[in-house]
């Protein structure tokens, strides 16, 4: 769980000197030194840019690459295997092409092969937020468009969304790194909301970032959510709320949380989903923080920032 300043540094694509990179990588791999980075470079695994004066500068992609190499080394992969994996990864299609090949396989080939396409990209170290935000989310949006225009049957749409659900579940488990001291988050789609894949992916990214998430799934009645809140007092509750004239499920859920915890003991209540996109004012008026816009990656960053500022059990 990095600081805001670090995230900002990575977000704006700043190039970093070797000392800064060592500092960042050491958080997960304490034995890293400037000379071990220079070794990776001599082995041809890494090519930092150079200032006119010859100093090495590393991009965010370089840092991610180093983290990946270190992880593979921790799993005792040989340098030869690591080189091969990096070569395979470098020759992977970009996320847009991966989305295309995933959908082509679902429609014209086998569902299992489509799933393996994404899992293989994960094996090669494509970041989870890329697989979720740049591959799976666009695939689902495209399916929705096809369904709306009558070119995709409901049966096809369901096949893709069920497959996406399986993949998201598998990747979330692979990457979960819960910090036992870290904050607990309860997440659910309110009653009536069956679109759960967006929240499921956010949950996966939070788990990978150390959060302990109790995820309850789609269409969750208020009483069930309250039981989860009693069992695992959360620092935040994430709710997905549908669009529609009826705001009652969200309103009822928030009112029940207020009764349960009292206004001063309330966790952050963060609401996303269609209602937060179309009518954020209404979400605020109901007592939740609306989070919307910019796609999965941006939405998850916004949630993480809110969680980091949480007054209850924050970190
Ligand atoms: C798969 C799907 C379904 C599946 C859902 C399966 C599942 N397990 O989730 C099923 C078959 C159940 C379904 C049903 C329906 N669907 Co549907 N569905 C989709 C589809 C194709 C993909 C949804 C998806 O996962 N998208 C990808 C995720 C990542 O995006 P997302 O859900 O919008 O989430 C984003 C944000 O909202 C946010 N977010 C979501 N939850 C949360 C929670 C928090 C806390 C935060 C911070 C953020 C957040 O995170 C994401 C960031 O980008 C979309 C098409 C589309 N454009 O999305 C249609 C779509 C959403 N469905 C639609 C419709 C109309 C329906 C039905 C009414 C159809 C019907 N007549 O029965 C029902 C309603 C069911 C219900 N009661 O909820 C419309 C909605 C139109 C609108 N006005 O908003 C869409 C847009 C299709 C279309 N093009 O018209 N659907």
């Amino acid at each position: 769980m990095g600081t805001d300043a670090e995230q900002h540094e990575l977000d704006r694509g700043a190039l970093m000197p070797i000392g800064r990179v060592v500092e960042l990588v050491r958080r997960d791999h304490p034995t890293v030194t400037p000379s071990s980075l220079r070794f990776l470079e001599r082995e041809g695994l890494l090519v930092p840019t150079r200032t006119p004066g010859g100093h090495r500068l590393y991009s965010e992609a370089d840092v991610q690459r180093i983290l990946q190499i270190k992880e593979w080394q921790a799993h005792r992969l040989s340098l030869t295997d690591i080189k091969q994996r990096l070569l395979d990864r470098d020759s992977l299609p970009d996320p847009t092409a991966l989305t295309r090949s995933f959908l082509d396989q679902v429609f014209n080939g086998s569902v299992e092969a489509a799933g393996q396409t994404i899992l293989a990209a994960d094996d090669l170290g494509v970041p989870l937020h890329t697989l979720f935000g740049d591959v799976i989310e666009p695939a689902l949006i495209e399916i929705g468009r096809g369904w709306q225009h009558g070119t995709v049957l409901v049966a096809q749409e369901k096949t893709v969304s069920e497959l996406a659900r399986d993949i998201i579940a598998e990747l979330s488990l692979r990457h979960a790194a819960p910090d036992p001291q870290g904050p607990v988050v309860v997440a659910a789609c309110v009653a009536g909301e069956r679109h759960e894949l967006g929240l499921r992916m956010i949950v996966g990214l939070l788990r990978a970032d150390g959060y302990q998430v109790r995820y309850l799934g789609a269409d969750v009645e208020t009483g069930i959510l309250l039981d989860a809140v009693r069992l695992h007092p959360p620092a935040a509750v994430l709710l997905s709320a549908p669009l529609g004239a009826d705001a009652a499920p969200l309103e009822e859920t928030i009112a029940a949380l207020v009764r349960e915890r009292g206004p001063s003991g309330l966790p952050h209540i963060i609401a996303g989903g269609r209602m937060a996109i179309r009518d954020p004012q209404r979400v605020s008026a109901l007592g939740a923080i609306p989070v919307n816009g910019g796609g999965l990656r941006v939405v998850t960053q916004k949630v993480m920032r809110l969680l980091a500022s949480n007054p209850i059990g924050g970190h």
Side-chain angles (χ1 to χ4, degrees):
M1 289 177 258
T3 65
D4 268 6
E6 278 160 15
Q7 190 57 50
H8 184 60
E9 185 170 277
L10 294 177
D11 287 350
R12 61 171 215 268
L15 288 173
M16 291 164 265
I18 196 162
R20 177 71 186 131
V21 175
V22 167
E23 201 182 312
L24 285 175
V25 176
R26 268 198 187 150
R27 306 246 159 112
D28 294 328
H29 303 279
T31 57
V32 166
T33 58
S35 77
S36 60
L37 295 189
R38 288 192 290 267
F39 169 75
L40 296 180
E41 193 179 330
R42 279 197 304 279
E43 288 295 323
L45 301 179
L46 197 64
V47 189
T49 50
R50 299 267 185 164
T51 64
H55 293 290
R56 293 172 174 83
L57 288 176
Y58 298 81
S59 65
E60 184 202 342
D62 292 329
V63 175
Q64 297 304 334
R65 196 174 175 92
I66 296 163
L67 286 169
Q68 182 63 73
I69 295 170
K70 289 289 149 200
E71 203 180 308
W72 283 333
Q73 284 182 325
H75 284 92
R76 308 211 173 282
L77 256 72
S78 70
L79 222 49
T80 316
D81 287 344
I82 291 176
K83 274 182 190 165
Q84 188 54 51
R85 282 197 178 197
L86 287 171
L87 277 175
D88 290 346
R89 187 170 95 163
D90 291 344
S91 59
L92 263 182
D94 66 19
T96 310
L98 215 50
T99 301
R100 178 93 334 272
S101 123
F102 170 72
L103 288 174
D104 279 351
Q105 280 169 312
V106 179
F107 290 127
N108 307 316
S110 96
V111 168
E112 292 74 17
Q116 286 307 326
T117 297
I118 311 268
L119 297 182
D122 178 60
D123 289 336
L124 293 175
V126 176
L128 190 60
H129 58 80
T130 303
L131 293 175
F132 282 174
D134 302 334
V135 180
I136 296 179
E137 182 175 29
L140 290 164
I141 291 172
E142 189 170 329
I143 289 296
R145 214 174 284 132
W147 172 76
Q148 203 178 8
H149 295 142
T151 52
V152 169
L153 298 171
V154 173
Q156 292 173 306
E157 180 262 307
K158 280 191 180 293
T159 306
V160 176
S161 51
E162 283 304 311
L163 174 61
R165 187 173 180 278
D166 288 350
I167 296 169
I168 296 163
E170 162 88 23
L171 293 179
S172 298
L173 281 178
R174 281 188 182 183
H175 289 267
D179 172 358
Q181 314 302 328
V184 174
V185 171
V186 168
C189 300
V190 300
E193 175 61 291
R194 287 170 51 213
H195 297 102
E196 58 123 8
L197 299 174
L199 185 54
R200 191 177 265 273
M201 287 193 272
I202 293 169
V203 165
L205 291 167
L206 290 177
R207 285 182 171 147
D209 206 40
Y211 290 89
Q212 305 180 63
V213 190
R214 305 287 166 166
Y215 177 55
L216 310 179
D219 192 10
V220 176
E221 296 295 336
T222 300
I224 296 171
L225 183 92
L226 276 188
D227 283 345
V229 166
R230 283 179 197 130
L231 282 170
H232 315 285
V237 175
L238 302 188
L239 298 171
S240 193
L243 185 72
D246 190 8
L250 183 62
E251 190 170 12
E252 190 192 311
T253 303
I254 294 170
L257 283 169
V258 175
R259 278 197 303 277
E260 177 73 17
R261 299 278 293 256
S264 58
L266 262 189
H268 272 328
I269 304 174
I270 300 171
R274 255 146 283 278
M275 193 190 290
I277 294 170
R278 293 283 177 81
D279 204 348
Q281 290 85 350
R282 189 170 178 191
V283 170
S284 300
L286 293 176
I289 305 166
V291 172
N292 57 29
L296 190 81
R297 199 194 283 241
V298 174
V299 159
T300 306
Q301 278 176 3
K302 288 180 187 171
V303 169
M304 285 183 181
R305 284 197 188 119
L306 281 168
L307 294 179
S309 69
N310 198 311
I312 306 168
H315 61 294

